[in-house]
Amino acid sequence: DIVMTQSPDSLAVSLGERATINCKSSQSVLYNSNNKNYLAWYQQKPGQPPKLLIYWASTRESGVPDRFSGSGSGTDFTLTISSLQAEDGADYYCQQYYRTPHTFGQGTKLEIK
Amino acid sequence: QVQLVESGGGLVKPGGSLRLSCAASGFTFSDYYMSWIRQAPGKGLEWVSNINAGGSPIEYAGSVKGRFTISRDNAKNSLYLQMNSLRAEDTAVYYCARDRIFGGLDHWGQGTLVTVSS
């Protein structure tokens, strides 16, 4: 199985500042034939199901604010939230869909200071 | 709008069985892969299984292979998860999700809680 490791496990960032969450896969999730990274990011607020933010490592899902961006390739990925808003406090997960099982990272808890 | 509604959760004894259902609406169900994902209390997300739009192929996480069976009825716009030989570690909220397979899980239900305890 592909192991997804996120860092940090938790972070606290002030309103208006930038938050960065990292995700590392145990093997590359870049499919060479189409040059796409099979990596998604999700946001989950307490008591709610996860919400898809980013797919193909950097493509923002429709309706997701542009302060959310994804980057990286191969085995190392980053979710960046620029100019944090109060509603961004949540758990964030990366997921690879390159190979089944489509494993998730352990999650990163983002607290707004 | 896309809606996914899970049902069938509850309390079951270790070794018991349970069948979860997911009723889909607001999209052409037979066009999409579907997935089950679970989340133990206070823990992270665990991918459980997915199923092709037509019913095959099917994939499972190692932790449930041989015990859980995913299926779908495209005529009824429904997804199922038959869970046998349940263990305490299967206790979780179970979510169904629409799977774009090459674009992430774009719609999720609210989840149904399964508790395995004597």
Side-chain angles (χ1 to χ4, degrees):
Chain A
D1 297 0
I2 298 176
V3 177
M4 307 299 289
T5 304
Q6 292 181 226
S7 61
D9 289 333
S10 65
L11 74 163
V13 181
S14 300
L15 270 174
E17 297 297 303
R18 172 182 301 222
T20 300
I21 299 170
N22 300 301
C23 175
K24 189 175 185 67
S25 57
S26 61
Q27 55 188 272
S28 176
V29 298
L30 172 64
Y31 192 40
N32 289 327
S33 66
N34 61 9
N35 201 36
K36 286 186 179 293
N37 289 282
Y38 286 47
L39 190 284
W41 287 97
Y42 301 85
Q43 175 193 65
Q44 187 181 32
K45 297 181 180 180
Q48 296 184 20
K51 173 187 173 184
L52 177 65
L53 297 175
I54 303 279
Y55 58 98
W56 294 135
S58 61
T59 302
R60 203 177 300 114
E61 177 70 353
S62 175
V64 172
D66 60 8
R67 65 180 181 273
F68 291 89
S69 64
S71 62
S73 185
T75 61
D76 293 278
F77 301 91
T78 300
L79 175 69
T80 301
I81 312 170
S82 63
S83 191
L84 269 172
Q85 305 297 302
E87 62 266 29
D88 297 335
D91 294 331
Y92 292 84
Y93 297 90
C94 61
Q95 183 205 24
Q96 63 81 20
Y97 48 94
Y98 181 85
R99 179 174 295 138
T100 55
H102 292 168
T103 42
F104 289 89
Q106 81 277 16
T108 295
K109 187 175 194 65
L110 174 60
E111 176 196 330
I112 311 299
K113 283 198 282 190
Chain B
Q1 73 281 20
V2 174
Q3 198 166 13
L4 298 168
V5 180
E6 302 94 338
S7 60
L11 176 64
V12 61
K13 288 181 167 51
S17 297
L18 215 52
R19 189 195 196 206
L20 306 184
S21 299
C22 172
S25 61
F27 66 103
T28 305
F29 182 71
S30 58
D31 282 350
Y32 287 87
Y33 271 75
M34 295 294 294
S35 291
W36 287 100
I37 301 92
R38 68 184 181 182
Q39 187 169 35
K43 302 297 184 184
L45 301 170
E46 181 184 12
W47 183 88
V48 173
S49 179
N50 73 357
I51 184 169
N52 173 274
S56 177
I58 285 171
E59 301 286 348
Y60 296 99
S63 57
V64 307
K65 202 167 190 176
R67 300 187 299 123
F68 290 12
T69 303
I70 191 173
S71 62
R72 64 190 296 161
D73 185 335
N74 286 345
K76 293 184 177 179
N77 291 338
S78 292
L79 175 72
Y80 306 102
L81 187 67
Q82 177 67 43
M83 303 186 296
N84 298 331
S85 303
L86 282 161
R87 306 165 180 165
E89 54 265 35
D90 296 318
T91 295
V93 173
Y94 284 74
Y95 296 101
C96 69
R98 191 174 82 168
D99 190 342
R100 293 196 305 220
I101 203 61
F102 297 127
L105 303 163
D106 66 342
H107 290 276
W108 297 61
Q110 289 297 313
T112 187
L113 177 63
V114 172
T115 303
V116 184
S117 174
S118 54

